[in-house]
Amino acid sequence: MTLHASILARLSLIEGFPSWRQTLGDPALQPRLREYRTWEPSATLPSTPTRHERAPGAHGPVPVRIYQPPPSAPQSPRPALVWVHGGGWVSGDLDSTEADWTAREVCVRADAVVVSVDYRLAVGGVAYPVPHDDVVAAVRWVRDSSAVLGIDPDRITVGGASAGANLAAGAVLRLRDDDGWLPVALVLAYSVMHPALPALSAELAEALAKLPRMVQVLAEDVTVMTANYLGDAADPHGYAMPADGVLGGLCPTLLLDAEYDGLRASSEAFAAALAKARVPVRHVTVPGLLHGFLSLPASLEPVDHGLAVLAETVVHARPSRAACGVLPGADDERPARDEESE
């Protein structure tokens, strides 16, 4: 296991920092934190037409940003990705690099419409089910507006990163149960699916222990984050924590992980549960990267690889004769875990 050189060179900036939550609350640490987090976008960061809409929701309108492929590449109807940013349910917005850069990259690489969701954060007394309801509302709106958006309704993928992956999976479970509808695929990047982090492998725990506390996602972090998101709400259906949900009949799922990420334990356990439920699943581990790598520029080769896998899924996922679709890179005849580590 070798951390990417560009990331390794920055770690001195945050050496000795506490956890993310504690660091964000300390004004004295902000200049170094900004330097660590500031990456110049790739010189080829795609420029795509965008516009803003509001999806009607149970708690009020949900803002979304729609990314359209450049007019120079006409194709209609197009595949689509509904994308949900991460941030531990307490941070992030449509301008976050994980939201904006990822949406632009996938839009151009896949020649697809991307709809990024600005769900309400779990702050100021907001908790589950509000962020979950917002994502459900946004996906429904995209599905029901497919003709206006120039989208093929049979080629809608839903996905997200970290807490956004949790919200994406929970929304798809809810839509399966309430609407009898599934997207063609589900894309989960470095996801958190459990209220408590499963045990890490000895190899992963040893590798992460050598890194600054700031870049580690520990069991205690997951416990605090999920408790804040859940609040006092019950989760009888597993929509808030999809690892506790009924997974049978879920659409094909891509899990995209970072090699150096404690949340791999949650993602790996979820992949195993999907396979046990006979859900087609592809699990790709991107080498040399930390949690949150979709916030980095595509000029880093492993990030480019992760984006290529994501875009490939949006382009090539197709519904099958059953209600379940097919993922590129996975066996379309049976549920499978397609492990990759390159």
Side-chain angles (χ1 to χ4, degrees), residues 157 184-187 254 282 308-318 327-328:
T157 295
V184 71
L186 180 60
V187 174
L254 167 69
R282 183 183 183 194
V309 172
L310 201 166
E312 176 191 37
T313 300
V314 173
V315 171
H316 296 296
R318 292 289 193 278
L327 281 181

mmCIF file of all heavy atoms in Angstrom, residues 157 184-187 254 282 308-318 327-328:
data_model
loop_
_atom_site.group_PDB
_atom_site.id
_atom_site.type_symbol
_atom_site.label_atom_id
_atom_site.label_comp_id
_atom_site.label_asym_id
_atom_site.label_seq_id
_atom_site.Cartn_x
_atom_site.Cartn_y
_atom_site.Cartn_z
ATOM 1 N N THR A 157 -29.242 6.625 -13.388
ATOM 2 C CA THR A 157 -28.401 6.105 -12.315
ATOM 3 C C THR A 157 -28.487 7.064 -11.139
ATOM 4 O O THR A 157 -28.546 8.286 -11.322
ATOM 5 C CB THR A 157 -26.943 5.970 -12.782
ATOM 6 O OG1 THR A 157 -26.869 4.980 -13.814
ATOM 7 C CG2 THR A 157 -26.009 5.569 -11.643
ATOM 8 N N VAL A 184 -31.540 2.343 -13.012
ATOM 9 C CA VAL A 184 -30.850 1.260 -13.701
ATOM 10 C C VAL A 184 -29.609 0.825 -12.931
ATOM 11 O O VAL A 184 -29.164 -0.327 -13.049
ATOM 12 C CB VAL A 184 -30.507 1.680 -15.144
ATOM 13 C CG1 VAL A 184 -29.393 2.725 -15.181
ATOM 14 C CG2 VAL A 184 -30.150 0.477 -15.994
ATOM 15 N N ALA A 185 -29.037 1.728 -12.111
ATOM 16 C CA ALA A 185 -27.850 1.392 -11.333
ATOM 17 C C ALA A 185 -27.737 2.343 -10.149
ATOM 18 O O ALA A 185 -28.309 3.432 -10.134
ATOM 19 C CB ALA A 185 -26.592 1.472 -12.196
ATOM 20 N N LEU A 186 -26.954 1.906 -9.168
ATOM 21 C CA LEU A 186 -26.665 2.688 -7.972
ATOM 22 C C LEU A 186 -25.147 2.762 -7.849
ATOM 23 O O LEU A 186 -24.454 1.750 -7.972
ATOM 24 C CB LEU A 186 -27.279 2.000 -6.749
ATOM 25 C CG LEU A 186 -27.106 2.623 -5.363
ATOM 26 C CD1 LEU A 186 -27.719 4.023 -5.305
ATOM 27 C CD2 LEU A 186 -27.750 1.723 -4.310
ATOM 28 N N VAL A 187 -24.621 3.963 -7.629
ATOM 29 C CA VAL A 187 -23.173 4.189 -7.541
ATOM 30 C C VAL A 187 -22.861 4.764 -6.172
ATOM 31 O O VAL A 187 -23.345 5.850 -5.819
ATOM 32 C CB VAL A 187 -22.692 5.142 -8.648
ATOM 33 C CG1 VAL A 187 -21.219 5.473 -8.461
ATOM 34 C CG2 VAL A 187 -22.924 4.541 -10.026
ATOM 35 N N LEU A 254 -22.550 -0.297 -7.963
ATOM 36 C CA LEU A 254 -21.107 -0.106 -8.003
ATOM 37 C C LEU A 254 -20.658 0.515 -6.692
ATOM 38 O O LEU A 254 -21.199 1.538 -6.271
ATOM 39 C CB LEU A 254 -20.721 0.827 -9.159
ATOM 40 C CG LEU A 254 -19.279 1.359 -9.147
ATOM 41 C CD1 LEU A 254 -18.274 0.243 -9.432
ATOM 42 C CD2 LEU A 254 -19.112 2.511 -10.139
ATOM 43 N N ARG A 282 -20.528 -4.629 -8.196
ATOM 44 C CA ARG A 282 -19.133 -4.473 -8.610
ATOM 45 C C ARG A 282 -18.444 -3.615 -7.564
ATOM 46 O O ARG A 282 -18.933 -2.545 -7.208
ATOM 47 C CB ARG A 282 -19.061 -3.804 -9.979
ATOM 48 C CG ARG A 282 -17.628 -3.673 -10.511
ATOM 49 C CD ARG A 282 -17.597 -2.939 -11.833
ATOM 50 N NE ARG A 282 -16.248 -2.875 -12.380
ATOM 51 C CZ ARG A 282 -15.872 -2.085 -13.376
ATOM 52 N NH1 ARG A 282 -16.754 -1.282 -13.943
ATOM 53 N NH2 ARG A 282 -14.621 -2.089 -13.801
ATOM 54 N N ALA A 308 -13.519 7.495 -14.396
ATOM 55 C CA ALA A 308 -13.780 6.700 -15.599
ATOM 56 C C ALA A 308 -14.705 5.526 -15.290
ATOM 57 O O ALA A 308 -15.617 5.224 -16.071
ATOM 58 C CB ALA A 308 -12.456 6.196 -16.185
ATOM 59 N N VAL A 309 -14.494 4.876 -14.147
ATOM 60 C CA VAL A 309 -15.363 3.759 -13.759
ATOM 61 C C VAL A 309 -16.781 4.257 -13.512
ATOM 62 O O VAL A 309 -17.763 3.627 -13.916
ATOM 63 C CB VAL A 309 -14.795 3.047 -12.517
ATOM 64 C CG1 VAL A 309 -15.781 2.016 -11.982
ATOM 65 C CG2 VAL A 309 -13.457 2.390 -12.837
ATOM 66 N N LEU A 310 -16.892 5.410 -12.836
ATOM 67 C CA LEU A 310 -18.213 5.977 -12.548
ATOM 68 C C LEU A 310 -18.943 6.312 -13.853
ATOM 69 O O LEU A 310 -20.105 5.941 -14.050
ATOM 70 C CB LEU A 310 -18.026 7.231 -11.684
ATOM 71 C CG LEU A 310 -19.209 7.736 -10.853
ATOM 72 C CD1 LEU A 310 -18.728 8.760 -9.830
ATOM 73 C CD2 LEU A 310 -20.300 8.342 -11.696
ATOM 74 N N ALA A 311 -18.236 7.012 -14.757
ATOM 75 C CA ALA A 311 -18.863 7.404 -16.026
ATOM 76 C C ALA A 311 -19.221 6.188 -16.869
ATOM 77 O O ALA A 311 -20.273 6.150 -17.516
ATOM 78 C CB ALA A 311 -17.923 8.332 -16.799
ATOM 79 N N GLU A 312 -18.344 5.162 -16.851
ATOM 80 C CA GLU A 312 -18.627 3.930 -17.601
ATOM 81 C C GLU A 312 -19.934 3.294 -17.135
ATOM 82 O O GLU A 312 -20.723 2.791 -17.945
ATOM 83 C CB GLU A 312 -17.472 2.948 -17.410
ATOM 84 C CG GLU A 312 -17.693 1.596 -18.072
ATOM 85 C CD GLU A 312 -16.649 0.562 -17.648
ATOM 86 O OE1 GLU A 312 -16.256 0.576 -16.467
ATOM 87 O OE2 GLU A 312 -16.246 -0.241 -18.497
ATOM 88 N N THR A 313 -20.156 3.329 -15.842
ATOM 89 C CA THR A 313 -21.394 2.754 -15.307
ATOM 90 C C THR A 313 -22.608 3.523 -15.806
ATOM 91 O O THR A 313 -23.613 2.926 -16.215
ATOM 92 C CB THR A 313 -21.348 2.765 -13.769
ATOM 93 O OG1 THR A 313 -20.234 1.985 -13.328
ATOM 94 C CG2 THR A 313 -22.621 2.199 -13.173
ATOM 95 N N VAL A 314 -22.532 4.855 -15.775
ATOM 96 C CA VAL A 314 -23.653 5.680 -16.242
ATOM 97 C C VAL A 314 -23.946 5.423 -17.716
ATOM 98 O O VAL A 314 -25.110 5.325 -18.139
ATOM 99 C CB VAL A 314 -23.357 7.169 -15.991
ATOM 100 C CG1 VAL A 314 -24.431 8.054 -16.620
ATOM 101 C CG2 VAL A 314 -23.244 7.451 -14.493
ATOM 102 N N VAL A 315 -22.888 5.272 -18.513
ATOM 103 C CA VAL A 315 -23.064 5.080 -19.955
ATOM 104 C C VAL A 315 -23.643 3.710 -20.281
ATOM 105 O O VAL A 315 -24.569 3.576 -21.089
ATOM 106 C CB VAL A 315 -21.714 5.256 -20.688
ATOM 107 C CG1 VAL A 315 -21.848 4.834 -22.164
ATOM 108 C CG2 VAL A 315 -21.244 6.683 -20.601
ATOM 109 N N HIS A 316 -23.103 2.670 -19.645
ATOM 110 C CA HIS A 316 -23.354 1.312 -20.133
ATOM 111 C C HIS A 316 -24.365 0.515 -19.321
ATOM 112 O O HIS A 316 -24.781 -0.557 -19.772
ATOM 113 C CB HIS A 316 -22.040 0.538 -20.202
ATOM 114 C CG HIS A 316 -21.070 1.103 -21.195
ATOM 115 N ND1 HIS A 316 -21.324 1.124 -22.548
ATOM 116 C CD2 HIS A 316 -19.860 1.697 -21.024
ATOM 117 C CE1 HIS A 316 -20.310 1.694 -23.182
ATOM 118 N NE2 HIS A 316 -19.403 2.046 -22.288
ATOM 119 N N ALA A 317 -24.750 0.973 -18.135
ATOM 120 C CA ALA A 317 -25.749 0.220 -17.370
ATOM 121 C C ALA A 317 -27.056 0.159 -18.155
ATOM 122 O O ALA A 317 -27.524 1.159 -18.691
ATOM 123 C CB ALA A 317 -25.978 0.869 -16.016
ATOM 124 N N ARG A 318 -27.621 -1.028 -18.232
ATOM 125 C CA ARG A 318 -28.847 -1.231 -19.002
ATOM 126 C C ARG A 318 -29.831 -2.080 -18.194
ATOM 127 O O ARG A 318 -29.420 -2.979 -17.467
ATOM 128 C CB ARG A 318 -28.554 -1.977 -20.310
ATOM 129 C CG ARG A 318 -27.746 -1.190 -21.328
ATOM 130 C CD ARG A 318 -28.566 -0.059 -21.942
ATOM 131 N NE ARG A 318 -27.918 0.503 -23.116
ATOM 132 C CZ ARG A 318 -26.952 1.397 -23.087
ATOM 133 N NH1 ARG A 318 -26.491 1.811 -21.915
ATOM 134 N NH2 ARG A 318 -26.436 1.880 -24.197
ATOM 135 N N LEU A 327 -24.490 -4.140 -14.849
ATOM 136 C CA LEU A 327 -23.387 -3.200 -14.724
ATOM 137 C C LEU A 327 -22.259 -3.578 -15.662
ATOM 138 O O LEU A 327 -21.944 -4.758 -15.817
ATOM 139 C CB LEU A 327 -22.828 -3.209 -13.297
ATOM 140 C CG LEU A 327 -23.593 -2.444 -12.226
ATOM 141 C CD1 LEU A 327 -22.845 -2.572 -10.914
ATOM 142 C CD2 LEU A 327 -23.751 -0.988 -12.598
ATOM 143 N N PRO A 328 -21.596 -2.582 -16.278
ATOM 144 C CA PRO A 328 -20.395 -2.902 -17.038
ATOM 145 C C PRO A 328 -19.322 -3.420 -16.101
ATOM 146 O O PRO A 328 -19.183 -2.977 -14.973
ATOM 147 C CB PRO A 328 -19.992 -1.545 -17.634
ATOM 148 C CG PRO A 328 -20.592 -0.528 -16.730
ATOM 149 C CD PRO A 328 -21.881 -1.147 -16.247
#
